């Protein structure tokens, strides 16, 4: 399969998987606290990928260890906690929309750290999308216009972390295969930190095999297997056959999936938030339109 066709297939598959992650986080939060959801998400992925990591341990990129750690914590650890924490205050639809800011952060991080080229069009697009985020923050959630600045900031921080990870992987870790890279990240780098975090939440002392906890474990398991382990492997592959900016534009489509799931689950958005979502996506399309030939 040629790279151009493969990158579009990967983009579509990742859109469906990651776009569905927000509703799975919401459902998981009905059974566990946000810290347990985040830690379980990483830990389960590490357990599943452990056989691959052990069998390929000789390929561990020791000379790039610092970059592997940076990519792991910014892309696969910190955001796993920030999203559940934020979703205790905002809907899964809003979380999906905010995550669409990732291409903006990719441009900013790429320009500041990795000296990626930035155009005036991209800067204008960034400003347009930022205006949309402001409407989301001040537009309420369809329930009386409640102010939700803190969770919006947490979601933006998580999205920034994703951008740092994405640009780091593209710049420093392309010599490692996508499957092996995922296995090393979750099984070697993040396994113990996630286990420690889960222990600190009191999970092991309170967990029981009752219907509530088993149902929660099912939602977190789906989130971990598909939204974390499989999705990150596919994302690393997408980075190999495209650019960080193209890979990040999966977040342009994810809000559609997130909003559909949210609607089916009874979530509502205010009119201002619909406008804000449209402005965010419009700004992203604007900044993206003249970079297609570079992707």
């Amino acid at each position: 399969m040629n790279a151009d066709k493969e990158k579009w297939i990967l983009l579509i598959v990742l859109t469906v998987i990651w776009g569905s992650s927000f509703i799975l986080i919401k459902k998981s939060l009905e059974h566990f606290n946000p810290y347990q959801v985040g830690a379980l998400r990483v830990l389960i992925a590490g357990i599943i990928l452990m056989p691959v990591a052990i069998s390929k341990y000789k390929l561990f990129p020791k000379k790039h260890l610092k970059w592997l750690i940076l990519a792991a914590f910014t892309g696969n650890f910190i955001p796993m906690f920030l999203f559940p924490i934020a979703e205790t205050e905002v809907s899964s639809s809003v979380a999906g929309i905010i995550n669409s800011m990732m291409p903006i952060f990719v441009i900013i991080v790429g320009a500041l750290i990795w000296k990626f080229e930035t155009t005036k069009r991209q800067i204008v697009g960034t400003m347009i999308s930022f205006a949309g985020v402001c409407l989301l923050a001040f537009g309420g959630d369809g329930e009386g216009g409640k102010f939700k600045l803190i969770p919006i900031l947490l979601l933006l921080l998580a999205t920034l972390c994703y951008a740092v990870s994405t640009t780091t992987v593209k710049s420093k870790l392309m010599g490692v295969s996508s499957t092996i890279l995922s296995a090393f990240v979750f099984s070697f780098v993040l396994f113990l930190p996630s286990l420690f975090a889960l222990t600190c939440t009191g999970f092991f002392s309170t967990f029981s095999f009752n219907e509530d906890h088993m149902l929660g474990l099912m939602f977190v398991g789906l989130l971990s297997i598909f939204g974390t382990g499989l999705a990150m492997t596919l994302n690393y592959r997408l980075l190999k056959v495209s650019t960080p900016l193209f890979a990040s534009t999966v977040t342009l489509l994810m809000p559609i999936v997130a909003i559909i799931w949210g609607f089916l689950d009874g979530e509502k958005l205010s009119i201002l938030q619909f406008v804000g979502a449209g402005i965010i996506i419009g700004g992203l399309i604007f900044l993206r339109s003249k970079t297609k030939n570079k992707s």
Side-chain angles (χ1 to χ4, degrees):
M1 185 185 300
N2 63 64
D4 189 62
K5 183 178 181 180
E6 182 181 1
K7 72 180 183 181
W8 284 104
I9 292 175
L10 289 170
L11 188 72
I12 293 171
V13 174
L14 279 170
T15 295
V16 175
I17 293 176
W18 269 338
S20 302
S21 294
F22 304 102
I23 191 67
L24 287 173
I25 291 174
K26 177 183 177 181
K27 293 300 182 182
S28 299
L29 287 170
E30 295 176 358
H31 306 276
F32 303 115
N33 68 48
Y35 304 99
Q36 291 172 337
V37 171
L40 278 170
R41 185 176 179 180
V42 180
L43 185 66
I44 293 173
I47 292 173
I48 293 173
L49 291 170
M50 187 69 75
V52 177
I54 293 175
S55 65
K56 302 294 183 180
Y57 75 94
K58 291 183 178 180
L59 299 177
F60 190 84
K62 295 179 181 178
K63 63 179 180 179
H64 297 308
L65 179 60
K66 64 180 180 180
W67 302 117
L68 185 66
I69 292 174
L70 176 63
F73 276 91
T74 55
N76 305 288
F77 193 77
I78 297 174
M80 303 308 173
F81 293 91
L82 293 179
F83 271 97
I85 293 171
E87 282 197 44
T88 62
E89 297 291 332
V90 299
S91 68
S92 62
S93 300
V94 170
I97 294 168
I98 292 296
N99 195 57
S100 68
M101 292 286 290
M102 183 178 166
I104 292 174
F105 288 121
V106 166
I107 292 171
I108 295 173
V109 172
L112 293 178
I113 299 179
W114 306 112
K115 308 303 179 183
F116 292 167
E117 181 183 353
T118 303
T119 67
K120 291 182 179 178
R121 191 179 188 88
Q122 290 171 338
I123 294 174
V124 172
T126 298
M127 295 174 65
I128 293 172
S129 292
F130 180 74
V133 172
C134 291
L135 281 181
L136 274 180
F138 290 90
D141 56 1
E143 300 176 356
K146 297 177 183 178
F147 184 67
K148 300 290 185 180
L149 178 60
I150 298 302
I152 294 293
L153 291 176
L154 292 178
L155 291 170
L156 287 174
L157 177 58
T159 306
L160 172 61
C161 286
Y162 280 142
V164 172
S165 179
T166 295
T167 53
T168 299
V169 169
K170 184 64 178 181
S171 300
K172 297 294 183 179
L173 297 169
M174 283 294 93
V176 185
S177 79
S178 53
T179 302
I180 295 175
L181 184 57
S182 293
F184 288 160
V185 163
F186 289 106
S187 300
F188 287 166
V189 179
L190 298 179
F191 183 83
L192 289 180
S194 62
L195 182 61
F196 177 76
L198 193 61
T199 302
C200 290
T201 67
F203 175 82
F204 295 108
S205 61
T206 59
F207 180 81
S208 61
F209 291 94
N210 57 38
E211 182 179 352
D212 178 65
H213 282 174
M214 294 307 294
L215 185 59
L217 205 56
M218 181 192 73
F219 285 124
V220 179
L222 289 173
L223 179 64
S224 180
I225 294 169
F226 293 100
T228 305
L230 176 61
M232 289 312 302
T233 300
L234 296 178
N235 185 57
Y236 290 146
R237 177 60 189 172
L238 180 58
L239 282 169
K240 283 182 176 291
V241 297
S242 66
T243 67
L245 184 57
F246 181 88
S248 69
T249 54
V250 66
T251 57
L252 288 172
L253 302 174
M254 282 166 53
I256 298 174
V257 179
I259 289 173
I260 290 173
W261 277 116
F263 176 77
L264 293 175
D265 198 52
E267 292 181 1
K268 295 180 180 180
L269 295 176
S270 69
I271 294 177
L272 273 180
Q273 287 180 311
F274 272 113
V275 174
I279 291 174
I280 289 175
I281 295 175
L284 292 171
I285 292 173
F286 182 85
L287 69 85
R288 179 84 180 92
S289 60
K290 287 197 173 182
T291 60
K292 291 180 180 178
N293 62 327
K294 296 179 182 181
S295 300

